[in-house]
Amino acid sequence: MQIKKRAAAVALLTAATVVLTGCASGSTTSSGGDAAACEPSEGKVDLTFTTWIPGMEEVVAVWNEENPDVQVKVQTGPNGNGGTYQNFFNQLKAGNAPDLGQIEYDALPNFRVQDGLMNLAACEGVLDAKADFVDWTWGQVNFGEDDAVYAVPQDAGPMAMFYRADLFEANNIAIPTTWEEYAVAAEAVRATGGYITNFSQSDINQFAGFVWQAGGSWFENDGDNWTIDLTSPESVKVADYWQDLIDRDLVSTNPPWTDEWNNAYNTGSNWTWNSAAWGANSIASGAPDTSGNWSVALSPQWAAGDNAAGNWGGSSTAVFTGSKHPYEAAQFALWLNTSDEALTMLNKSANLYPAAKSGLELPALKEGVEFYGGQAIYDVFAEASGHVSPDFIWGPTMTQVYNDTSDGFKGAVTGNGTLSDALTSAQKSTIDALEAQSIPVNK
Amino acid sequence: MSTLTPTTPAKPTRGIRSTEAKAPRAQRESPFARVSAMIVMGVFTLYFLVPIWWLLVAASKSRSQFNSTNPLWFADFSLFENIGNLMAYRDGVYLKWMLNSALYAGGGALVGTIIAGMCGYALAKYNFPGRELIFNVVLGGVLVPATALALPLFLIFSQISLTNTFWSVFLPSLVSPFGVYLARIYASASVPDELIEAARLDGAGELRTFFTVSVRMMVPALVTVFLFQFVAIWNNFFLPLIMLRDETLFPVTLGLYAWNSQVNQIPVLRDYVLIGALLSIIPLIIIFLLLQRFWRNGLSAGSVK
């Protein structure tokens, strides 16, 4: 076990020029999936695809109709962290993983370190597809290696600011365009009795998005070692900024995704939400009474005149090691994530915001949205998507990072320590966690 | 209690607490004890019933009213509309889940009870070498939580390509160490050896003796085992989570969990999770109401003997 993990880690870090068959050292006999050549299989091919996205069956039915020789069967389960990732790991160990799986960007490094992903670079059309996707999403799936592609990007969560246009106007408060203005506006909003926003104490992804926007990155991999940067200057800057707002009682600290959180938005006590494209529906369902009063603007900036955006969420379609038909699986993954037909259906059934450039131009994403006063909000997200930094890298133990950071943040919002203390302690526990898995770390 | 007390009225002058002239002497302390007992039970009843009440109320609301109205009282009553929507969602996959749960729990509990009953009976009534050893191993099984076995089971089932099948959830559900334990205790207490001897003398085989004579005497214990096993399988979540990938094989618990993990992005699923959770407890309530008579007998009989 330990040896196998170390072998996997070493395989990752020797910047594999040899592709996957070479890496699968520790595992059992290679079951025929020759990704190095990635040749089409003979005859009819059956693929399995595990995903938790609702409505995927209908999308896949379209593919099956058009490709009688490559039939895809959809399998399902709870969302990734809800159990499906653990299932993937179990199945990889037992040698019966599906051909394809849904994996969020922040979980990809974990699968890569455990040698679970097939490098699709040799498969026809995969490397060329780079141009079809928004730049930073490609960086999430190739880990900075030019001749590697470990998954095909599916959706993205570029962040912008949802705000109550009516309240800002009625109270004569200018829409903040920088974080400095945001803090000033927060005071004005507090004076009216409301809160400018809610600080997410337990969903660390939002905070990661802020750090991403500020130009920071929590991890780095130089080919040999991982560097952990939870306490980078950018990260601490963001933490101190929010700590200040929390200290001055200018933001509320309801646990996210709860009824009280929804209620704070529904009753107009919270005025803005810095969130991702997919958040548009969360507000619409959580705060139905405020329909028509919301608008969307680009995120506030750290320096006036900038246009940086963060990202929150997003996932990819990966091919697992052990798949006997990497060629067909890769073709399906490309179709699923670039064809207008599939992207439109996924957007409709699951609110997925495409990672493909062409997807940003879908007619469905050009329309005005009634809940937002008829504003064509996705134009804002399309612009934000182009300004997301490609340099943010996730680590191999994100579940642990989220848990440890969240523990510290929960303390900080109740006056127990600060957000940057929480980052410092999470930094330490993350180093421990990586070392416990024999993953080399720069200290 | 009050039926046992003498009916002679207490003297009114005696004791400050007996304000009622008719209150019997032995009952003087009981109003307080009674009231406090009632309060404790009332609190617990509330504690257990309020979540169900909340669920019922929440399931009867339309989505826009869910957040904006009193969580413990009804708004516009749209329960049946919600049920209709749930049944229609994805071609009624929810009904399929309920059916699966009924199959896993009903079938698993039935077969599991028969196995546990026979096993416990054998351990109680036959003398053979290693009997105590076997029983102790089974007892050890009671101590091992089922969740701890799920992953090893997955790896074993993977070897024989049985994961993601009906059997991968059904077969492990048949085993009930607690059932064996209960059946043994009950059989040794309630099935007289003389009766078995008599059946043998009349020419009945061992199997026939068991099914026609002993089972009838073991019914309360068997019903208890059945109930326990039914509830345990119905609520078993971890095993299906690990074993199953095909949505059409999911039990209702796993299906609802999968939906619930999506509510952030697909808000409409929240309605379906609520209404689905409400409907999913109905079969449990029904089976409890039907079998509670046996269960109560079984529990008290077991405790006395």
Side-chain angles (χ1 to χ4, degrees), chain B residues 62-82:
Chain B
S62 67
R63 186 157 21 124
S64 61
Q65 288 176 333
F66 177 73
N67 276 320
S68 52
T69 56
N70 181 349
L72 289 179
W73 195 247
F74 296 100
D76 296 341
F77 192 79
S78 41
L79 177 64
F80 297 108
E81 200 185 318
N82 288 346

mmCIF file with all atom_site columns, all heavy atoms in Angstrom, chain B residues 62-82:
data_model
loop_
_atom_site.group_PDB
_atom_site.id
_atom_site.type_symbol
_atom_site.label_atom_id
_atom_site.label_alt_id
_atom_site.label_comp_id
_atom_site.label_asym_id
_atom_site.label_entity_id
_atom_site.label_seq_id
_atom_site.pdbx_PDB_ins_code
_atom_site.Cartn_x
_atom_site.Cartn_y
_atom_site.Cartn_z
_atom_site.occupancy
_atom_site.B_iso_or_equiv
_atom_site.pdbx_formal_charge
_atom_site.auth_seq_id
_atom_site.auth_comp_id
_atom_site.auth_asym_id
_atom_site.auth_atom_id
_atom_site.pdbx_PDB_model_num
ATOM 1   N N   . SER B 1 62 ? -45.288 24.806 -1.444 1.00 0.00 ? 62 SER B N   1
ATOM 2   C CA  . SER B 1 62 ? -44.649 25.043 -2.725 1.00 0.00 ? 62 SER B CA  1
ATOM 3   C C   . SER B 1 62 ? -43.282 25.665 -2.450 1.00 0.00 ? 62 SER B C   1
ATOM 4   O O   . SER B 1 62 ? -43.017 26.152 -1.349 1.00 0.00 ? 62 SER B O   1
ATOM 5   C CB  . SER B 1 62 ? -45.494 25.977 -3.583 1.00 0.00 ? 62 SER B CB  1
ATOM 6   O OG  . SER B 1 62 ? -45.509 27.244 -2.983 1.00 0.00 ? 62 SER B OG  1
ATOM 7   N N   . ARG B 1 63 ? -42.416 25.637 -3.446 1.00 0.00 ? 63 ARG B N   1
ATOM 8   C CA  . ARG B 1 63 ? -41.040 26.046 -3.198 1.00 0.00 ? 63 ARG B CA  1
ATOM 9   C C   . ARG B 1 63 ? -40.938 27.498 -2.754 1.00 0.00 ? 63 ARG B C   1
ATOM 10  O O   . ARG B 1 63 ? -40.157 27.837 -1.885 1.00 0.00 ? 63 ARG B O   1
ATOM 11  C CB  . ARG B 1 63 ? -40.197 25.825 -4.449 1.00 0.00 ? 63 ARG B CB  1
ATOM 12  C CG  . ARG B 1 63 ? -38.748 26.100 -4.191 1.00 0.00 ? 63 ARG B CG  1
ATOM 13  C CD  . ARG B 1 63 ? -37.850 25.383 -5.166 1.00 0.00 ? 63 ARG B CD  1
ATOM 14  N NE  . ARG B 1 63 ? -38.517 24.994 -6.384 1.00 0.00 ? 63 ARG B NE  1
ATOM 15  C CZ  . ARG B 1 63 ? -38.097 25.364 -7.584 1.00 0.00 ? 63 ARG B CZ  1
ATOM 16  N NH1 . ARG B 1 63 ? -37.050 26.122 -7.722 1.00 0.00 ? 63 ARG B NH1 1
ATOM 17  N NH2 . ARG B 1 63 ? -38.732 24.952 -8.653 1.00 0.00 ? 63 ARG B NH2 1
ATOM 18  N N   . SER B 1 64 ? -41.750 28.366 -3.340 1.00 0.00 ? 64 SER B N   1
ATOM 19  C CA  . SER B 1 64 ? -41.612 29.777 -2.994 1.00 0.00 ? 64 SER B CA  1
ATOM 20  C C   . SER B 1 64 ? -42.053 30.025 -1.557 1.00 0.00 ? 64 SER B C   1
ATOM 21  O O   . SER B 1 64 ? -41.577 30.936 -0.903 1.00 0.00 ? 64 SER B O   1
ATOM 22  C CB  . SER B 1 64 ? -42.435 30.624 -3.961 1.00 0.00 ? 64 SER B CB  1
ATOM 23  O OG  . SER B 1 64 ? -43.788 30.273 -3.870 1.00 0.00 ? 64 SER B OG  1
ATOM 24  N N   . GLN B 1 65 ? -42.955 29.184 -1.068 1.00 0.00 ? 65 GLN B N   1
ATOM 25  C CA  . GLN B 1 65 ? -43.421 29.389 0.309  1.00 0.00 ? 65 GLN B CA  1
ATOM 26  C C   . GLN B 1 65 ? -42.544 28.702 1.332  1.00 0.00 ? 65 GLN B C   1
ATOM 27  O O   . GLN B 1 65 ? -42.666 28.951 2.523  1.00 0.00 ? 65 GLN B O   1
ATOM 28  C CB  . GLN B 1 65 ? -44.848 28.871 0.447  1.00 0.00 ? 65 GLN B CB  1
ATOM 29  C CG  . GLN B 1 65 ? -45.841 29.763 -0.266 1.00 0.00 ? 65 GLN B CG  1
ATOM 30  C CD  . GLN B 1 65 ? -47.228 29.198 -0.199 1.00 0.00 ? 65 GLN B CD  1
ATOM 31  O OE1 . GLN B 1 65 ? -47.401 27.989 -0.087 1.00 0.00 ? 65 GLN B OE1 1
ATOM 32  N NE2 . GLN B 1 65 ? -48.221 30.052 -0.281 1.00 0.00 ? 65 GLN B NE2 1
ATOM 33  N N   . PHE B 1 66 ? -41.648 27.851 0.858  1.00 0.00 ? 66 PHE B N   1
ATOM 34  C CA  . PHE B 1 66 ? -40.866 27.044 1.782  1.00 0.00 ? 66 PHE B CA  1
ATOM 35  C C   . PHE B 1 66 ? -40.022 27.902 2.718  1.00 0.00 ? 66 PHE B C   1
ATOM 36  O O   . PHE B 1 66 ? -39.967 27.676 3.920  1.00 0.00 ? 66 PHE B O   1
ATOM 37  C CB  . PHE B 1 66 ? -39.988 26.071 1.002  1.00 0.00 ? 66 PHE B CB  1
ATOM 38  C CG  . PHE B 1 66 ? -39.097 25.261 1.880  1.00 0.00 ? 66 PHE B CG  1
ATOM 39  C CD1 . PHE B 1 66 ? -39.618 24.241 2.649  1.00 0.00 ? 66 PHE B CD1 1
ATOM 40  C CD2 . PHE B 1 66 ? -37.746 25.529 1.956  1.00 0.00 ? 66 PHE B CD2 1
ATOM 41  C CE1 . PHE B 1 66 ? -38.803 23.498 3.479  1.00 0.00 ? 66 PHE B CE1 1
ATOM 42  C CE2 . PHE B 1 66 ? -36.928 24.787 2.790  1.00 0.00 ? 66 PHE B CE2 1
ATOM 43  C CZ  . PHE B 1 66 ? -37.460 23.778 3.547  1.00 0.00 ? 66 PHE B CZ  1
ATOM 44  N N   . ASN B 1 67 ? -39.362 28.902 2.151  1.00 0.00 ? 67 ASN B N   1
ATOM 45  C CA  . ASN B 1 67 ? -38.499 29.746 2.972  1.00 0.00 ? 67 ASN B CA  1
ATOM 46  C C   . ASN B 1 67 ? -39.241 30.891 3.632  1.00 0.00 ? 67 ASN B C   1
ATOM 47  O O   . ASN B 1 67 ? -38.806 31.413 4.639  1.00 0.00 ? 67 ASN B O   1
ATOM 48  C CB  . ASN B 1 67 ? -37.385 30.345 2.110  1.00 0.00 ? 67 ASN B CB  1
ATOM 49  C CG  . ASN B 1 67 ? -36.241 29.388 1.957  1.00 0.00 ? 67 ASN B CG  1
ATOM 50  O OD1 . ASN B 1 67 ? -35.868 28.722 2.900  1.00 0.00 ? 67 ASN B OD1 1
ATOM 51  N ND2 . ASN B 1 67 ? -35.708 29.301 0.759  1.00 0.00 ? 67 ASN B ND2 1
ATOM 52  N N   . SER B 1 68 ? -40.352 31.273 3.029  1.00 0.00 ? 68 SER B N   1
ATOM 53  C CA  . SER B 1 68 ? -40.939 32.538 3.430  1.00 0.00 ? 68 SER B CA  1
ATOM 54  C C   . SER B 1 68 ? -42.071 32.379 4.434  1.00 0.00 ? 68 SER B C   1
ATOM 55  O O   . SER B 1 68 ? -42.571 33.362 4.939  1.00 0.00 ? 68 SER B O   1
ATOM 56  C CB  . SER B 1 68 ? -41.448 33.280 2.189  1.00 0.00 ? 68 SER B CB  1
ATOM 57  O OG  . SER B 1 68 ? -42.267 32.436 1.434  1.00 0.00 ? 68 SER B OG  1
ATOM 58  N N   . THR B 1 69 ? -42.477 31.138 4.732  1.00 0.00 ? 69 THR B N   1
ATOM 59  C CA  . THR B 1 69 ? -43.594 30.985 5.664  1.00 0.00 ? 69 THR B CA  1
ATOM 60  C C   . THR B 1 69 ? -43.138 30.245 6.912  1.00 0.00 ? 69 THR B C   1
ATOM 61  O O   . THR B 1 69 ? -42.064 29.666 6.939  1.00 0.00 ? 69 THR B O   1
ATOM 62  C CB  . THR B 1 69 ? -44.752 30.206 5.008  1.00 0.00 ? 69 THR B CB  1
ATOM 63  O OG1 . THR B 1 69 ? -44.235 28.955 4.548  1.00 0.00 ? 69 THR B OG1 1
ATOM 64  C CG2 . THR B 1 69 ? -45.339 30.969 3.846  1.00 0.00 ? 69 THR B CG2 1
ATOM 65  N N   . ASN B 1 70 ? -43.979 30.263 7.913  1.00 0.00 ? 70 ASN B N   1
ATOM 66  C CA  . ASN B 1 70 ? -43.692 29.594 9.176  1.00 0.00 ? 70 ASN B CA  1
ATOM 67  C C   . ASN B 1 70 ? -43.349 28.117 8.948  1.00 0.00 ? 70 ASN B C   1
ATOM 68  O O   . ASN B 1 70 ? -44.153 27.379 8.403  1.00 0.00 ? 70 ASN B O   1
ATOM 69  C CB  . ASN B 1 70 ? -44.940 29.719 10.069 1.00 0.00 ? 70 ASN B CB  1
ATOM 70  C CG  . ASN B 1 70 ? -44.725 29.080 11.423 1.00 0.00 ? 70 ASN B CG  1
ATOM 71  O OD1 . ASN B 1 70 ? -43.742 28.380 11.644 1.00 0.00 ? 70 ASN B OD1 1
ATOM 72  N ND2 . ASN B 1 70 ? -45.646 29.336 12.336 1.00 0.00 ? 70 ASN B ND2 1
ATOM 73  N N   . PRO B 1 71 ? -42.170 27.696 9.390  1.00 0.00 ? 71 PRO B N   1
ATOM 74  C CA  . PRO B 1 71 ? -41.763 26.316 9.100  1.00 0.00 ? 71 PRO B CA  1
ATOM 75  C C   . PRO B 1 71 ? -42.600 25.267 9.814  1.00 0.00 ? 71 PRO B C   1
ATOM 76  O O   . PRO B 1 71 ? -42.580 24.120 9.426  1.00 0.00 ? 71 PRO B O   1
ATOM 77  C CB  . PRO B 1 71 ? -40.299 26.266 9.563  1.00 0.00 ? 71 PRO B CB  1
ATOM 78  C CG  . PRO B 1 71 ? -40.131 27.420 10.471 1.00 0.00 ? 71 PRO B CG  1
ATOM 79  C CD  . PRO B 1 71 ? -41.105 28.457 10.049 1.00 0.00 ? 71 PRO B CD  1
ATOM 80  N N   . LEU B 1 72 ? -43.337 25.660 10.845 1.00 0.00 ? 72 LEU B N   1
ATOM 81  C CA  . LEU B 1 72 ? -44.103 24.656 11.572 1.00 0.00 ? 72 LEU B CA  1
ATOM 82  C C   . LEU B 1 72 ? -45.606 24.759 11.330 1.00 0.00 ? 72 LEU B C   1
ATOM 83  O O   . LEU B 1 72 ? -46.399 24.130 12.024 1.00 0.00 ? 72 LEU B O   1
ATOM 84  C CB  . LEU B 1 72 ? -43.811 24.739 13.079 1.00 0.00 ? 72 LEU B CB  1
ATOM 85  C CG  . LEU B 1 72 ? -42.417 24.271 13.488 1.00 0.00 ? 72 LEU B CG  1
ATOM 86  C CD1 . LEU B 1 72 ? -42.220 24.413 14.977 1.00 0.00 ? 72 LEU B CD1 1
ATOM 87  C CD2 . LEU B 1 72 ? -42.171 22.833 13.048 1.00 0.00 ? 72 LEU B CD2 1
ATOM 88  N N   . TRP B 1 73 ? -45.998 25.553 10.357 1.00 0.00 ? 73 TRP B N   1
ATOM 89  C CA  . TRP B 1 73 ? -47.414 25.569 10.048 1.00 0.00 ? 73 TRP B CA  1
ATOM 90  C C   . TRP B 1 73 ? -47.636 25.623 8.538  1.00 0.00 ? 73 TRP B C   1
ATOM 91  O O   . TRP B 1 73 ? -46.776 26.087 7.798  1.00 0.00 ? 73 TRP B O   1
ATOM 92  C CB  . TRP B 1 73 ? -48.143 26.716 10.747 1.00 0.00 ? 73 TRP B CB  1
ATOM 93  C CG  . TRP B 1 73 ? -49.619 26.478 10.703 1.00 0.00 ? 73 TRP B CG  1
ATOM 94  C CD1 . TRP B 1 73 ? -50.543 27.194 10.027 1.00 0.00 ? 73 TRP B CD1 1
ATOM 95  C CD2 . TRP B 1 73 ? -50.326 25.403 11.325 1.00 0.00 ? 73 TRP B CD2 1
ATOM 96  N NE1 . TRP B 1 73 ? -51.778 26.643 10.186 1.00 0.00 ? 73 TRP B NE1 1
ATOM 97  C CE2 . TRP B 1 73 ? -51.691 25.532 10.979 1.00 0.00 ? 73 TRP B CE2 1
ATOM 98  C CE3 . TRP B 1 73 ? -49.937 24.323 12.129 1.00 0.00 ? 73 TRP B CE3 1
ATOM 99  C CZ2 . TRP B 1 73 ? -52.663 24.631 11.413 1.00 0.00 ? 73 TRP B CZ2 1
ATOM 100 C CZ3 . TRP B 1 73 ? -50.914 23.435 12.554 1.00 0.00 ? 73 TRP B CZ3 1
ATOM 101 C CH2 . TRP B 1 73 ? -52.262 23.600 12.208 1.00 0.00 ? 73 TRP B CH2 1
ATOM 102 N N   . PHE B 1 74 ? -48.785 25.145 8.141  1.00 0.00 ? 74 PHE B N   1
ATOM 103 C CA  . PHE B 1 74 ? -49.061 25.005 6.720  1.00 0.00 ? 74 PHE B CA  1
ATOM 104 C C   . PHE B 1 74 ? -49.244 26.359 6.039  1.00 0.00 ? 74 PHE B C   1
ATOM 105 O O   . PHE B 1 74 ? -49.773 27.290 6.628  1.00 0.00 ? 74 PHE B O   1
ATOM 106 C CB  . PHE B 1 74 ? -50.338 24.191 6.505  1.00 0.00 ? 74 PHE B CB  1
ATOM 107 C CG  . PHE B 1 74 ? -50.209 22.784 7.007  1.00 0.00 ? 74 PHE B CG  1
ATOM 108 C CD1 . PHE B 1 74 ? -50.729 22.425 8.233  1.00 0.00 ? 74 PHE B CD1 1
ATOM 109 C CD2 . PHE B 1 74 ? -49.552 21.834 6.250  1.00 0.00 ? 74 PHE B CD2 1
ATOM 110 C CE1 . PHE B 1 74 ? -50.604 21.130 8.704  1.00 0.00 ? 74 PHE B CE1 1
ATOM 111 C CE2 . PHE B 1 74 ? -49.416 20.527 6.711  1.00 0.00 ? 74 PHE B CE2 1
ATOM 112 C CZ  . PHE B 1 74 ? -49.948 20.185 7.935  1.00 0.00 ? 74 PHE B CZ  1
ATOM 113 N N   . ALA B 1 75 ? -48.807 26.428 4.808  1.00 0.00 ? 75 ALA B N   1
ATOM 114 C CA  . ALA B 1 75 ? -49.192 27.544 3.944  1.00 0.00 ? 75 ALA B CA  1
ATOM 115 C C   . ALA B 1 75 ? -50.222 26.957 2.975  1.00 0.00 ? 75 ALA B C   1
ATOM 116 O O   . ALA B 1 75 ? -50.994 26.092 3.374  1.00 0.00 ? 75 ALA B O   1
ATOM 117 C CB  . ALA B 1 75 ? -47.963 28.075 3.235  1.00 0.00 ? 75 ALA B CB  1
ATOM 118 N N   . ASP B 1 76 ? -50.221 27.385 1.734  1.00 0.00 ? 76 ASP B N   1
ATOM 119 C CA  . ASP B 1 76 ? -51.136 26.761 0.779  1.00 0.00 ? 76 ASP B CA  1
ATOM 120 C C   . ASP B 1 76 ? -50.799 25.282 0.692  1.00 0.00 ? 76 ASP B C   1
ATOM 121 O O   . ASP B 1 76 ? -49.636 24.920 0.559  1.00 0.00 ? 76 ASP B O   1
ATOM 122 C CB  . ASP B 1 76 ? -50.985 27.405 -0.600 1.00 0.00 ? 76 ASP B CB  1
ATOM 123 C CG  . ASP B 1 76 ? -51.384 28.859 -0.544 1.00 0.00 ? 76 ASP B CG  1
ATOM 124 O OD1 . ASP B 1 76 ? -52.089 29.221 0.416  1.00 0.00 ? 76 ASP B OD1 1
ATOM 125 O OD2 . ASP B 1 76 ? -50.980 29.615 -1.441 1.00 0.00 ? 76 ASP B OD2 1
ATOM 126 N N   . PHE B 1 77 ? -51.819 24.465 0.745  1.00 0.00 ? 77 PHE B N   1
ATOM 127 C CA  . PHE B 1 77 ? -51.574 23.033 0.840  1.00 0.00 ? 77 PHE B CA  1
ATOM 128 C C   . PHE B 1 77 ? -51.357 22.443 -0.553 1.00 0.00 ? 77 PHE B C   1
ATOM 129 O O   . PHE B 1 77 ? -52.296 22.258 -1.310 1.00 0.00 ? 77 PHE B O   1
ATOM 130 C CB  . PHE B 1 77 ? -52.767 22.370 1.526  1.00 0.00 ? 77 PHE B CB  1
ATOM 131 C CG  . PHE B 1 77 ? -52.493 20.960 1.934  1.00 0.00 ? 77 PHE B CG  1
ATOM 132 C CD1 . PHE B 1 77 ? -51.769 20.678 3.080  1.00 0.00 ? 77 PHE B CD1 1
ATOM 133 C CD2 . PHE B 1 77 ? -52.943 19.901 1.153  1.00 0.00 ? 77 PHE B CD2 1
ATOM 134 C CE1 . PHE B 1 77 ? -51.513 19.376 3.458  1.00 0.00 ? 77 PHE B CE1 1
ATOM 135 C CE2 . PHE B 1 77 ? -52.685 18.593 1.528  1.00 0.00 ? 77 PHE B CE2 1
ATOM 136 C CZ  . PHE B 1 77 ? -51.972 18.330 2.676  1.00 0.00 ? 77 PHE B CZ  1
ATOM 137 N N   . SER B 1 78 ? -50.101 22.167 -0.893 1.00 0.00 ? 78 SER B N   1
ATOM 138 C CA  . SER B 1 78 ? -49.859 21.605 -2.224 1.00 0.00 ? 78 SER B CA  1
ATOM 139 C C   . SER B 1 78 ? -49.159 20.259 -2.130 1.00 0.00 ? 78 SER B C   1
ATOM 140 O O   . SER B 1 78 ? -48.336 19.910 -2.963 1.00 0.00 ? 78 SER B O   1
ATOM 141 C CB  . SER B 1 78 ? -49.061 22.580 -3.087 1.00 0.00 ? 78 SER B CB  1
ATOM 142 O OG  . SER B 1 78 ? -48.049 23.187 -2.332 1.00 0.00 ? 78 SER B OG  1
ATOM 143 N N   . LEU B 1 79 ? -49.490 19.501 -1.074 1.00 0.00 ? 79 LEU B N   1
ATOM 144 C CA  . LEU B 1 79 ? -48.835 18.212 -0.874 1.00 0.00 ? 79 LEU B CA  1
ATOM 145 C C   . LEU B 1 79 ? -49.037 17.287 -2.070 1.00 0.00 ? 79 LEU B C   1
ATOM 146 O O   . LEU B 1 79 ? -48.091 16.699 -2.586 1.00 0.00 ? 79 LEU B O   1
ATOM 147 C CB  . LEU B 1 79 ? -49.383 17.562 0.402  1.00 0.00 ? 79 LEU B CB  1
ATOM 148 C CG  . LEU B 1 79 ? -48.852 16.166 0.726  1.00 0.00 ? 79 LEU B CG  1
ATOM 149 C CD1 . LEU B 1 79 ? -47.369 16.219 1.002  1.00 0.00 ? 79 LEU B CD1 1
ATOM 150 C CD2 . LEU B 1 79 ? -49.576 15.571 1.917  1.00 0.00 ? 79 LEU B CD2 1
ATOM 151 N N   . PHE B 1 80 ? -50.274 17.195 -2.536 1.00 0.00 ? 80 PHE B N   1
ATOM 152 C CA  . PHE B 1 80 ? -50.545 16.219 -3.589 1.00 0.00 ? 80 PHE B CA  1
ATOM 153 C C   . PHE B 1 80 ? -49.937 16.643 -4.914 1.00 0.00 ? 80 PHE B C   1
ATOM 154 O O   . PHE B 1 80 ? -49.480 15.814 -5.693 1.00 0.00 ? 80 PHE B O   1
ATOM 155 C CB  . PHE B 1 80 ? -52.057 16.003 -3.703 1.00 0.00 ? 80 PHE B CB  1
ATOM 156 C CG  . PHE B 1 80 ? -52.630 15.417 -2.447 1.00 0.00 ? 80 PHE B CG  1
ATOM 157 C CD1 . PHE B 1 80 ? -53.412 16.181 -1.589 1.00 0.00 ? 80 PHE B CD1 1
ATOM 158 C CD2 . PHE B 1 80 ? -52.331 14.112 -2.093 1.00 0.00 ? 80 PHE B CD2 1
ATOM 159 C CE1 . PHE B 1 80 ? -53.901 15.638 -0.416 1.00 0.00 ? 80 PHE B CE1 1
ATOM 160 C CE2 . PHE B 1 80 ? -52.814 13.568 -0.921 1.00 0.00 ? 80 PHE B CE2 1
ATOM 161 C CZ  . PHE B 1 80 ? -53.604 14.334 -0.080 1.00 0.00 ? 80 PHE B CZ  1
ATOM 162 N N   . GLU B 1 81 ? -49.901 17.938 -5.120 1.00 0.00 ? 81 GLU B N   1
ATOM 163 C CA  . GLU B 1 81 ? -49.226 18.448 -6.306 1.00 0.00 ? 81 GLU B CA  1
ATOM 164 C C   . GLU B 1 81 ? -47.747 18.081 -6.245 1.00 0.00 ? 81 GLU B C   1
ATOM 165 O O   . GLU B 1 81 ? -47.158 17.627 -7.230 1.00 0.00 ? 81 GLU B O   1
ATOM 166 C CB  . GLU B 1 81 ? -49.394 19.967 -6.304 1.00 0.00 ? 81 GLU B CB  1
ATOM 167 C CG  . GLU B 1 81 ? -49.193 20.639 -7.620 1.00 0.00 ? 81 GLU B CG  1
ATOM 168 C CD  . GLU B 1 81 ? -49.266 22.141 -7.403 1.00 0.00 ? 81 GLU B CD  1
ATOM 169 O OE1 . GLU B 1 81 ? -50.150 22.589 -6.636 1.00 0.00 ? 81 GLU B OE1 1
ATOM 170 O OE2 . GLU B 1 81 ? -48.428 22.845 -7.981 1.00 0.00 ? 81 GLU B OE2 1
ATOM 171 N N   . ASN B 1 82 ? -47.148 18.264 -5.054 1.00 0.00 ? 82 ASN B N   1
ATOM 172 C CA  . ASN B 1 82 ? -45.729 17.923 -4.891 1.00 0.00 ? 82 ASN B CA  1
ATOM 173 C C   . ASN B 1 82 ? -45.492 16.438 -5.131 1.00 0.00 ? 82 ASN B C   1
ATOM 174 O O   . ASN B 1 82 ? -44.511 16.055 -5.769 1.00 0.00 ? 82 ASN B O   1
ATOM 175 C CB  . ASN B 1 82 ? -45.257 18.289 -3.480 1.00 0.00 ? 82 ASN B CB  1
ATOM 176 C CG  . ASN B 1 82 ? -45.147 19.778 -3.298 1.00 0.00 ? 82 ASN B CG  1
ATOM 177 O OD1 . ASN B 1 82 ? -45.177 20.527 -4.274 1.00 0.00 ? 82 ASN B OD1 1
ATOM 178 N ND2 . ASN B 1 82 ? -45.041 20.206 -2.054 1.00 0.00 ? 82 ASN B ND2 1
#
